[in-house]
Amino acid sequence: MWSKWLGVALAAVLSVVTVSLTVTERLQLYINPGQAWFACGMAVVVLVGTVLAIAVRPEDHEHHDHDHGDRSRWGPIAGVTGGTIAAGVAAAALILPPATLSAELAMERDTGNPTLFAGADDVELGVVDTSTFGVGDWAAVFTAATSPERYAGEQVTLTGFMTPGDDGSSALSRLIITHCVIDAMPATLPLEGDVPDLATGDWVELTGDVTVGDGGELVIEAASITPIDEPEDPYEY
């Protein structure tokens, strides 16, 4: 019986946390905002189920199994312990600010192959209007463009964090989330031009032009790089 009610309590706690994060617009720091409706919907379904489980209780039977005395004795202890841990985790999720993934983690996950299409299925590399492109979109273009000269001269204004590039150069990076923070992958753009000496992980707003390097590769020629605070939503999707 204790294990049953512990399961009901844990399900209720997880549901309340999910709904609370959705209401406070913090769920997007854990999962892709496009899937938040599904997570919140499932949380509401689970919450309704827990309420019904509490309201509709089966009748108690008059028989007792004396062979399970030890389990009966330890059941309340396990239930209280599990409930305390669950309550602590829930309180931490609601009270403490979420810790965003670090630049060091982005560098660890960098395989040298930028996330193609920035986690989306509907980005077309041949579109004329690139004004809405983020770091992830441009990283996809830099990787897959068969006619890099088509993008030469495009002006960009991008937000990201600084990471070291190849051969001591600098790069602008952003973490791209497809489903949740577990699958976050880095998108990185090589920089040239007047790049200030900033620490790895420093957030900046960059303006510049897309140019074609000597080897035919696309790079960002930085015109200005301004340090900024980490944005409220540090990910792209």
Side-chain angles (χ1 to χ4, degrees):
M1 183 62 70
W2 274 95
S3 60
K4 170 190 172 181
W5 293 118
L6 176 59
V8 171
L10 291 176
V13 167
L14 290 174
S15 300
V16 170
V17 169
T18 302
V19 173
S20 299
L21 290 175
T22 302
V23 172
T24 57
E25 298 183 350
R26 289 188 293 166
L27 191 62
Q28 64 187 19
L29 295 177
Y30 298 97
I31 66 173
N32 190 317
Q35 297 163 357
W37 66 270
F38 178 79
C40 186
M42 291 298 98
V44 171
V45 170
V46 172
L47 192 58
V48 171
T50 59
V51 172
L52 292 176
I54 295 172
V56 183
R57 300 181 59 179
E59 295 182 1
D60 294 329
H61 297 284
E62 296 297 330
H63 67 278
H64 300 277
D65 189 348
H66 298 289
D67 293 333
H68 298 292
D70 290 339
R71 185 170 62 185
S72 299
R73 184 170 62 252
W74 288 104
I77 297 176
V80 172
T81 302
T84 301
I85 295 174
V89 172
L94 293 174
I95 297 174
L96 299 178
T100 56
L101 302 180
S102 65
E104 287 73 19
L105 183 139
M107 295 164 59
E108 290 176 4
R109 295 187 180 183
D110 190 357
T111 61
N113 298 311
T115 307
L116 188 59
F117 302 127
D121 297 326
D122 56 355
V123 175
E124 298 178 7
L125 298 182
V127 295
V128 175
D129 183 14
T130 60
S131 62
T132 60
F133 275 20
V135 175
D137 299 316
W138 277 115
V141 169
F142 279 30
T143 301
T146 56
S147 300
E149 65 278 0
R150 176 255 181 269
Y151 298 96
E154 293 276 0
Q155 296 182 338
V156 298
T157 299
L158 300 169
T159 300
F161 53 85
M162 301 297 295
T163 54
D166 298 331
D167 303 325
S169 60
S170 297
L172 183 73
S173 297
R174 197 81 182 251
L175 282 163
I176 312 300
I177 290 181
T178 302
H179 298 290
C180 65
V181 292
I182 295 175
D183 61 37
M185 293 297 293
T188 301
L189 299 173
L191 302 179
E192 291 185 353
D194 186 14
V195 180
D197 185 16
L198 296 171
T200 296
D202 283 353
W203 281 87
V204 299
E205 182 177 84
L206 173 147
T207 59
D209 299 315
V210 178
T211 62
V212 181
D214 295 336
E217 75 284 357
L218 289 168
V219 297
I220 300 292
E221 183 76 20
S224 68
I225 297 180
T226 305
I228 61 172
D229 293 332
E230 179 180 301
E232 291 185 6
D233 188 355
Y235 309 120
E236 290 184 3
Y237 307 92

